[in-house]
Amino acid sequence: FPAFVQDAADAVRWTRDNIATFGGDPRRIAIVGHSAGAHSVAMLALDPQWLAAAGVPGSVKAAVGLSGPYDFYPFTGRSVAAMGQWPNPAETQPLNYARKEAPPMMLITGTADTTVRPKNARNLFKALKAVGAIAVEKEYEGLGHEDIAMALSLPFRSKAPVLDDSAAFLMTQLKGAN
């Protein structure tokens, strides 16, 4: 921390600068990530400093976090290596950046996730709703951490409608984005 969030912001800048070449609209950028990627997605969506530093403030119009760590202090396990050296641990927690002006967010988790516990999505969802932000939380009964990502893949889509639910949310949110 924060190198991986900076890398993600640079990826948004690249996307904004190049998406038209691939038929996309730079005014309708959505970001999605799983696990540590969901942490980066949340940081970019919630803390405006990262996209501003990359020269693309306000570029993200919607975000989906899959099984993301948003509220995990005090640090344990792998989070110690990723975040433990940062002098102010509160600055690593997406939960602390909930703001009304954040792009709409969908937070997806599995009730059986023991890697990144569902409380992460629940707590961030509550914080976003408390400040009046647009947020949706979706829990899939019995799914674990890897199951959420696997359900995006054709052979495993019967596990849960993660792809359909995410796509429907993003399509709804990006309709009027500009």
Side-chain angles (χ1 to χ4, degrees), residues 2 4 13-14 20-22 33 43 50 52 62 94 117 122 177:
F4 47 85
R13 185 187 66 237
W14 186 94
T21 304
F22 301 98
M43 292 299 286
W50 305 111
R117 305 231 180 244
R122 292 174 190 151

Side-chain angles (χ1 to χ4, degrees), residues 106-129:
M106 179 177 222
L107 306 170
I108 293 176
T109 189
T111 62
D113 189 339
T114 58
T115 303
V116 177
R117 305 231 180 244
K119 76 161 184 98
N120 284 272
R122 292 174 190 151
N123 291 350
L124 181 53
F125 172 73
K126 288 176 193 171
L128 289 167
K129 295 310 275 184

Side-chain angles (χ1 to χ4, degrees), residues 146-168:
E146 295 81 9
D147 295 324
I148 296 296
M150 287 174 61
L152 296 170
S153 175
L154 188 56
F156 302 103
R157 287 199 188 136
S158 63
K159 286 181 172 284
V162 175
L163 181 62
D164 289 344
D165 291 347
S166 299

Side-chain angles (χ1 to χ4, degrees), residues 12-13 16 44 48-61:
V12 171
R13 185 187 66 237
R16 197 267 330 253
L44 294 181
Q49 74 165 312
W50 305 111
L51 293 176
V56 290
S59 291
V60 170
K61 303 303 181 189

Side-chain angles (χ1 to χ4, degrees), residues 17-42:
D17 292 348
N18 293 283
I19 195 169
T21 304
F22 301 98
D25 184 344
R27 297 166 301 161
R28 298 178 60 211
I29 295 174
I31 54 178
V32 179
H34 177 262
S35 196
H39 176 273
S40 292
V41 161

